[in-house]
Amino acid sequence: MTIMTPHEHQLVSEAIHEAERHTDGEIYAVLARRSDDYFSAAGFALSIAAFIGSMVMAVLLHRYWLQVDVQTFALAMGAAYGSCLLVLWLFPDLGLWLVSRRTLYRRAHQNAQRQFLARNIHVTRRRTGILLFVSLAERYAEVVADEAIDLRVKQEEWDGIVATLIGHAKRGKLADGYLEAIAKSGDLLRVHFPKSFTDTNELDDHLVEL
């Protein structure tokens, strides 16, 4: 099932088409549910927690003179760790709570870079493509601009567009966020890369859901 309705997809396509009418720039939009399953990262966090837990348990057993043989203790800890991994596998969203915000953002950023290359945004004739990227699970948004645009547009202006995407996403208004971000991106591109007679539409004017 898609996150946005067919009507919302149509509105985004029309907004991209309208924004590109006035510029040589190319706008591409991607919406990801999540950028990683985080099973390995969350599993590592569980491993650290299990190690610390086993040390605490060993100290408590020793303190209260409780006798547990090593084999039984190891089996109990292994069973507990395995059960936690099973729960993590069955309910992958729990892994998001075990991973640092820095890791979440890094994985989402890496996904944005992959999408920029995978969608061939980097091979436009004048290097004027941009990607509007949102990853919901990480609550992350980014604008990835190709070389020619990046040299002319200040980061503060992209940050404003990112804030627009995030602000609308928090309110559950994804389509509105993309529509406003597309309009603002189009205005920036029109200033730095106005429409030329030789311009052609090099990228599809739609939003891709992952």
Side-chain angles (χ1 to χ4, degrees):
M1 295 180 62
T2 60
I3 301 171
M4 292 168 55
T5 67
H7 177 63
E8 289 172 330
H9 275 271
Q10 181 63 30
L11 290 176
V12 171
S13 296
E14 291 173 357
I16 294 175
H17 180 73
E18 177 61 26
E20 292 180 354
R21 285 181 58 235
H22 309 287
T23 176
D24 283 356
E26 297 284 341
I27 301 172
Y28 204 96
V30 171
L31 173 62
R33 287 173 174 81
R34 59 194 300 156
S35 292
D36 197 290
D37 61 12
Y38 298 105
F39 185 80
S40 59
F44 178 75
L46 277 178
S47 299
I48 300 299
F51 175 77
I52 295 174
S54 65
M55 295 299 100
V56 172
M57 186 61 67
V59 170
L60 291 175
L61 290 173
H62 178 73
R63 179 175 181 179
Y64 292 103
W65 293 41
L66 298 175
Q67 298 296 320
V68 178
D69 62 84
V70 175
Q71 184 177 5
T72 301
F73 182 79
L75 288 174
M77 294 306 301
Y81 179 62
S83 298
C84 290
L85 288 180
L86 178 61
V87 170
L88 189 62
W89 181 71
L90 292 173
F91 304 97
D93 285 347
L94 293 177
L96 296 171
W97 296 94
L98 299 175
V99 179
S100 69
R101 179 61 58 183
R102 180 178 180 181
T103 298
L104 294 175
Y105 284 176
R106 183 171 66 249
R107 298 288 175 86
H109 169 70
Q110 290 170 349
N111 192 20
Q113 298 296 318
R114 286 195 301 270
Q115 294 303 316
F116 184 81
L117 299 175
R119 308 295 171 180
N120 291 325
I121 303 171
H122 63 300
V123 296
T124 58
R125 184 169 55 89
R126 297 186 62 188
R127 304 296 299 273
T128 56
I130 67 168
L131 169 67
L132 302 179
F133 176 83
V134 174
S135 192
L136 294 177
E138 296 83 359
R139 300 181 181 183
Y140 180 89
E142 181 176 354
V143 178
V144 184
D146 208 348
E147 181 180 12
I149 299 175
D150 198 42
L151 291 173
R152 299 192 187 186
V153 180
K154 295 180 179 179
Q155 183 61 44
E156 291 78 9
E157 296 186 275
W158 297 131
D159 291 342
I161 294 175
V162 168
T164 295
L165 288 167
I166 293 176
H168 282 83
K170 287 181 177 178
R171 296 190 294 273
K173 302 292 185 179
L174 288 170
D176 291 344
Y178 273 106
L179 294 177
E180 186 175 339
I182 290 166
K184 289 182 177 180
S185 299
D187 290 340
L188 282 176
L189 293 173
R190 177 167 53 184
V191 170
H192 298 286
F193 298 94
K195 190 77 168 181
S196 66
F197 292 109
T198 59
D199 178 63
T200 58
N201 190 16
E202 300 178 71
L203 299 175
D204 293 334
D205 297 340
H206 63 229
L207 179 144
V208 173
E209 291 191 18
L210 305 176

